[in-house]
Amino acid sequence: MPLYKENEKNGYKALLAKMHVTPTDVFLNLTYEDETWRQVVRDLRFRKALNLAINKDEIIDSIYYGFAEPSIMQDSTYDLEEANRLLDEMGMKKGSNGIRTAPDGSKFSILFEVGAQAPDIVPLTELFVEFWRDLGLDVSMKRIDSTLWGTRLSANEIQATVIWTHKPLWYQADFGQ
């Protein structure tokens, strides 16, 4: 798009369609086999903390070249202090290494397994990893082949992922079908 906009001087006009698209969505597997994982990710405070720690303006500028707007369907506030407060309230304490544990004191990690189904997935996931590490969470990303991703998804073996969507797929029960 930056190239198209730059060349508008040659008689072309670059326009974006007026439509709602959530090009990349974070999915936390609420049915993943680990009981501690499920307890944490099913807590609304945890998901709210993750959302508050996402700097949407940085994403819009660095990934989408300024051609996006924050969601009007969910809170787009960036507030690390409140995000940390929510995690503290849940009992996710920081250890001497600065990494948070699960409320029961056990190790808690988020592993994003992503394919490259769209060009923004990997760089966007890298930003999520950075944002959530700022909360003291142990977060990592692993890029896997799209076929393996589909197989692992169908087997309910993926903890977290980022995927391009045109609609919210998991709660409509047609994701991966």
Side-chain angles (χ1 to χ4, degrees):
M1 185 55 88
L3 180 63
Y4 295 142
K5 293 299 278 182
E6 180 182 317
N7 284 293
E8 282 184 334
K9 62 184 178 261
N10 295 324
Y12 295 98
K13 183 79 175 156
L15 302 171
L16 293 175
K18 292 283 186 187
M19 60 186 217
H20 171 75
V21 175
T22 56
T24 45
D25 289 329
V26 172
F27 291 101
L28 301 174
N29 185 348
L30 302 180
T31 62
Y32 188 68
E33 65 185 28
D34 182 80
E35 186 177 331
T36 302
W37 168 267
R38 289 192 311 269
Q39 175 194 6
V40 171
V41 300
R42 288 179 179 176
D43 190 317
L44 183 60
R45 295 172 295 182
F46 181 75
R47 296 191 312 270
K48 185 171 183 176
L50 295 184
N51 185 47
L52 287 167
I54 297 172
N55 185 333
K56 284 83 169 175
D57 290 334
E58 184 175 339
I59 290 170
I60 289 168
D61 290 342
S62 62
I63 305 294
Y64 300 110
Y65 307 107
F67 292 101
E69 295 176 8
S71 173
I72 59 170
M73 295 182 194
Q74 68 182 25
D75 187 3
S76 293
T77 304
Y78 174 61
D79 187 344
L80 278 179
E81 185 176 323
E82 177 63 9
N84 276 298
R85 188 194 69 74
L86 288 168
L87 296 179
D88 291 341
E89 183 180 285
M90 286 179 61
M92 296 187 77
K93 297 181 178 21
K94 286 186 181 179
S96 59
N97 61 358
I99 303 296
R100 290 183 183 274
T101 62
D104 66 3
S106 65
K107 180 177 172 54
F108 183 82
S109 301
I110 301 172
L111 171 61
F112 278 105
E113 292 183 88
V114 298
Q117 294 91 337
D120 57 342
I121 289 175
V122 171
L124 183 58
T125 306
E126 290 170 339
L127 279 178
F128 290 144
V129 168
E130 286 181 38
F131 295 150
W132 295 342
R133 282 183 180 167
D134 289 345
L135 291 175
L137 294 169
D138 179 19
V139 187
S140 59
M141 180 191 84
K142 179 178 172 184
R143 184 174 173 187
I144 60 176
D145 175 78
S146 295
T147 303
L148 176 60
W149 180 88
T151 301
R152 289 183 47 75
L153 183 72
S154 294
N156 200 37
E157 296 173 344
I158 291 183
Q159 263 188 346
T161 193
V162 175
I163 183 65
W164 180 90
T165 65
H166 67 287
K167 61 182 182 172
L169 297 168
W170 270 3
Y171 76 77
Q172 292 181 350
D174 63 352
F175 192 55
Q177 305 295 326

